[in-house]
Amino acid sequence: MNKYYKEYEQLLKNKPHSKEIALAMKRVPYYEDNFSFNQTYVDKLINFIENFIYLQKGGDGTNFKLLTEQKFWVSLFGYENKKGVPVINELPILIGAGSGKTTLLAALSLALMIVGSAKGNDIMVFANTKEQAHELFTASSAMIKDEHSKLDKLRKAKMLRTNRNEILYEPTTSKLAIRSMDNDSVDGTNLRAAIFDEFHAYRIDAIQNVRKSSLPKRVNSTGFVSIYISTNGTTRDNVFDVYYDRFERILHGEQEDWTSFPLIYKLDDIEEVHDVDMYEKAAPFIKDISDPSILYQQLMSAKGNPAAQAEILAKSFNLPQQEYNAYFTADNIKKAYNLTLEPDDNEVYVGFDMASVNDLSSLAFVQKSGIGFTVKTHSFIPKDTFDNAPRDKKAIYTRFAENNELTIVDTPTIDQDFVFDYMVEYIYSNNLVPAGFASDAYYSRQLRNNIKREFGDEMMHTVRANVMQTSEPAKNIKALVDAGNASINEELMAWALGNIRVKIDGAGNVYWNKAKAVDKIDPTWALLNAYWLIVNEDDKEWQGW
């Protein structure tokens, strides 16, 4: 009987925990009924950590005292098959940031190398970068050099030796080494354990290389285990998501695999971010080592900053960003709507977005104003589309048309010659000098050809609608709107800005989208295309018309 399982089970009766943790705990009786439990080995691991390891942060010589959750994690190494080999060879622990994972990883690495050590009981710690790997190694090195610790006596007796990248345990020639994922080779040789830190950021699946190399060689000895301790992170559609999907299938009984024991600490619902008492679901030690209200304040301060929001939700609460987040706050849009800025001169940057179907199409005329900009837009919609719009949207379009911001055309599709005539009339009647025109290459061939004939081929530029080309101007526009350096003065553009939703990738890039088909953002894409010209102005080979 695993006593640490019973202690943790009792704790969870009065402590908030995720649905995934509840599912994980329901799996334990199977191990209890079908495998033996090596209580002696588990107790030795825990006693080693609590009696040989001293906390390094603070430098007060305090013993590392494992919390109930951590003791349960360690106890999972105690389930053995009939040959005495550990059953669980994969232990994923997905937990919110600020849970002391670096200290635990450092202590656990030393314990697995030394306790019950067999010859060549090697431990390898993998991190995403050299800097991160070095942080883990430094923590382990400091633990064996701490004068309060018995490990320091082993070091002085030359039973433990350290060099730049390894800690060697001489009695069994076992070693603890570090490896970063930017190394040329990440293949393991014959490891007792491989510990993968923050694997949410991995872009190559080095985990399988290590497991395939070590696992078969340990089936009749001390066994092999791969341990993942990580937050959810913001790198989507990569290594982490593939593993996370498998962990969820295991927990829900859709995939039988008793060699893996996923532990996923997370909030169950986005609404729980407003209840600090629920934060223990994602960060079970938060009340022991911090104050949940501090994290809440950090989240509130990120309001209106989707990149910061996504990072906090993913790393602190383990809520992966699945949906698009609002990009502009209502207050900042209102500020830009009420702000009037005078253009620096009569130079204008023109962007347009033509609909692929019988839908909204838009023009944007952007002029510089100091470090910011002012924009005038005009949109077009076929009458059939207007007539068939939902009642609420039809009322909105009617108001835009009354404001002279939208033209309802009688033709079943948008006549691009008509749009061109409107564009030229606006430029000439306002004595503007075009610096350039920009759009994507789709659905606007006639309009682009008209521009080339009127203003020259070199004036027409193509903005590909992908994250690489649009992220920088999108972020620049947001920064200017938020800072009060953008003037829109049009209800249609204000509405469209409010409809923008973005998803942040691992590199912090953004891509404009919308939550629903009826929530139009075409004017904002016209604005983005125009502002792309400004962002790339220093690199352009073209000059103004």
Side-chain angles (χ1 to χ4, degrees):
M1 173 66 70
N2 180 356
K3 66 179 182 182
Y4 300 109
Y5 157 57
K6 289 300 181 182
E7 290 176 2
Y8 191 28
E9 186 180 47
Q10 187 64 32
L11 174 69
L12 291 179
K13 290 180 180 180
N14 300 302
K15 186 172 185 176
H17 54 282
S18 69
K19 294 176 182 177
E20 283 79 2
I21 291 300
L23 291 172
M25 296 302 286
K26 289 180 179 179
R27 302 180 76 224
V28 179
Y30 181 89
Y31 293 90
E32 293 282 304
D33 295 340
N34 292 275
F35 305 108
S36 60
F37 184 73
N38 191 337
Q39 188 75 56
T40 301
Y41 175 61
V42 170
D43 286 342
K44 285 182 177 179
L45 286 173
I46 292 174
N47 289 335
F48 176 89
I49 293 173
E50 293 196 326
N51 292 296
F52 281 69
I53 304 297
Y54 283 74
L55 295 175
Q56 300 306 301
K57 292 184 178 180
D60 57 358
T62 303
N63 285 82
F64 190 158
K65 293 299 181 183
L66 293 171
L67 297 170
T68 302
E69 289 90 346
Q70 295 169 325
K71 290 180 180 178
F72 172 70
W73 301 345
V74 175
S75 77
L76 295 171
F77 301 133
Y79 291 105
E80 297 177 346
N81 61 22
K82 294 179 180 180
K83 295 181 179 180
V85 177
V87 174
I88 296 172
N89 60 48
E90 183 180 54
L91 181 60
I93 303 173
L94 308 182
I95 192 167
S99 297
K101 64 178 182 59
T102 299
T103 302
L104 178 64
L105 283 176
L108 185 59
S109 301
L110 292 169
L112 290 172
M113 178 178 70
I114 296 174
V115 175
S117 185
K119 189 173 180 63
N121 215 39
D122 294 346
I123 312 297
M124 187 78 74
V125 179
F126 295 87
N128 194 49
T129 63
K130 292 179 180 178
E131 292 76 15
Q132 191 176 357
H134 182 71
E135 180 183 353
L136 286 166
F137 183 75
T138 300
S140 295
S141 297
M143 287 175 177
I144 69 172
K145 295 176 182 178
D146 192 308
E147 62 181 10
H148 302 93
S149 173
K150 298 174 184 177
L151 294 177
D152 186 51
K153 295 180 180 179
L154 294 180
R155 182 181 66 86
K156 291 177 179 176
K158 300 190 183 303
M159 296 175 66
L160 275 174
R161 291 193 296 108
T162 63
N163 59 32
R164 184 177 180 183
N165 294 309
E166 292 181 348
I167 297 174
L168 183 66
Y169 183 55
E170 291 286 2
T172 57
T173 62
S174 301
K175 66 181 178 181
L176 166 61
I178 61 172
R179 186 75 60 83
S180 64
M181 286 304 176
D182 47 16
N183 258 274
D184 293 333
S185 172
V186 292
D187 292 338
T189 51
N190 187 4
L191 302 176
R192 165 68 180 95
I195 299 176
F196 299 91
D197 185 31
E198 293 294 9
F199 86 106
H200 69 82
Y202 293 4
R203 296 187 180 276
I204 58 171
D205 189 2
I207 296 171
Q208 284 305 311
N209 293 341
V210 177
R211 287 180 59 82
K212 288 177 181 178
S213 179
S214 294
L215 190 56
K217 302 171 185 177
R218 294 270 174 169
V219 293
N220 293 310
S221 59
T222 58
F224 164 79
V225 63
S226 54
I227 304 167
Y228 324 129
I229 299 186
S230 179
T231 63
N232 198 297
T234 56
T235 303
R236 298 273 69 86
D237 303 321
N238 221 301
V239 176
F240 179 90
D241 285 349
V242 174
Y243 278 75
Y244 189 89
D245 181 65
R246 178 166 62 85
F247 299 155
E248 287 280 6
R249 292 200 307 272
I250 291 172
L251 290 173
H252 285 86
E254 299 170 6
Q255 178 176 331
E256 184 173 308
D257 185 355
W258 299 104
T259 67
S260 180
F261 199 94
L263 290 161
I264 301 178
Y265 294 87
K266 61 184 285 292
L267 296 189
D268 292 316
D269 188 272
I270 186 67
E271 293 301 318
E272 291 179 338
V273 301
H274 300 293
D275 185 353
V276 295
D277 289 333
M278 293 294 105
Y279 286 13
E280 287 180 294
K281 287 186 174 185
F285 320 131
I286 191 166
K287 291 185 177 179
D288 297 293
I289 61 179
S290 183
D291 182 351
S293 64
I294 296 175
L295 180 55
Y296 179 76
Q297 291 301 321
Q298 291 175 345
L299 180 65
M300 292 300 99
S301 67
K303 186 177 180 180
N305 186 337
Q309 287 177 345
E311 184 165 0
I312 293 175
L313 291 174
K315 293 185 177 181
S316 295
F317 300 117
N318 279 337
L319 290 173
Q321 186 188 15
Q322 301 293 352
E323 302 298 331
Y324 289 92
N325 294 323
Y327 199 43
F328 295 92
T329 66
D331 287 344
N332 286 337
I333 293 173
K334 183 178 180 180
K335 180 169 58 178
Y337 177 75
N338 292 325
L339 179 66
T340 299
L341 297 175
E342 291 299 323
D344 292 340
D345 49 39
N346 64 344
E347 191 172 46
V348 65
Y349 302 79
V350 183
F352 51 92
D353 181 76
M354 303 302 296
S356 60
V357 293
N358 304 334
D359 211 339
L360 201 67
S361 294
S362 300
L363 296 171
F365 304 90
V366 175
Q367 292 181 266
K368 293 180 182 179
S369 179
I371 62 172
F373 68 87
T374 181
V375 60
K376 294 292 183 182
T377 63
H378 196 84
S379 296
F380 308 84
I381 192 170
K383 189 175 187 303
D384 287 347
T385 304
F386 170 79
D387 289 339
N388 293 318
R391 179 179 297 179
D392 59 334
K393 291 297 181 292
K394 190 173 183 179
I396 292 174
Y397 291 152
T398 299
R399 189 168 69 250
F400 296 156
E402 291 173 349
N403 293 341
N404 199 30
E405 299 169 7
L406 174 68
T407 296
I408 303 171
V409 299
D410 291 330
T411 54
T413 60
I414 299 298
D415 183 347
Q416 295 191 16
D417 289 335
F418 177 77
V419 174
F420 174 74
D421 290 343
Y422 183 96
M423 175 193 295
V424 171
E425 171 63 22
Y426 182 88
I427 291 172
Y428 291 152
S429 63
N430 288 281
N431 297 316
L432 299 176
V433 177
F437 302 82
S439 74
D440 64 28
Y442 301 102
Y443 317 122
S444 56
R445 178 178 298 178
Q446 183 61 40
L447 180 53
R448 290 168 63 89
N449 286 339
N450 287 347
I451 290 171
K452 291 176 183 179
R453 282 193 296 269
E454 178 75 15
F455 299 101
D457 288 0
E458 71 280 2
M459 293 288 285
M460 186 68 246
H461 300 271
T462 300
V463 182
R464 300 188 185 281
N466 58 43
V467 69
M468 297 306 295
Q469 285 212 335
T470 63
S471 180
E472 184 178 1
K475 290 192 286 189
N476 285 357
I477 291 170
K478 174 177 171 54
L480 292 171
V481 169
D482 291 353
N485 290 311
S487 171
I488 56 176
N489 298 143
E490 293 167 333
E491 190 176 357
L492 175 53
M493 176 59 87
W495 174 70
L497 285 173
N499 290 335
I500 291 178
R501 300 293 182 268
V502 296
K503 201 169 186 178
I504 315 296
D505 68 15
N509 295 313
V510 301
Y511 185 80
W512 285 359
N513 212 312
K514 55 193 175 186
K516 302 175 183 177
V518 294
D519 295 333
K520 304 304 179 186
I521 60 172
D522 307 80
T524 68
W525 273 104
L527 165 62
L528 188 147
N529 288 334
Y531 201 80
W532 178 91
L533 292 167
I534 295 175
V535 170
N536 291 277
E537 190 170 28
D538 291 339
D539 298 327
K540 72 185 181 185
E541 297 179 358
W542 47 275
Q543 300 296 323
W545 179 62

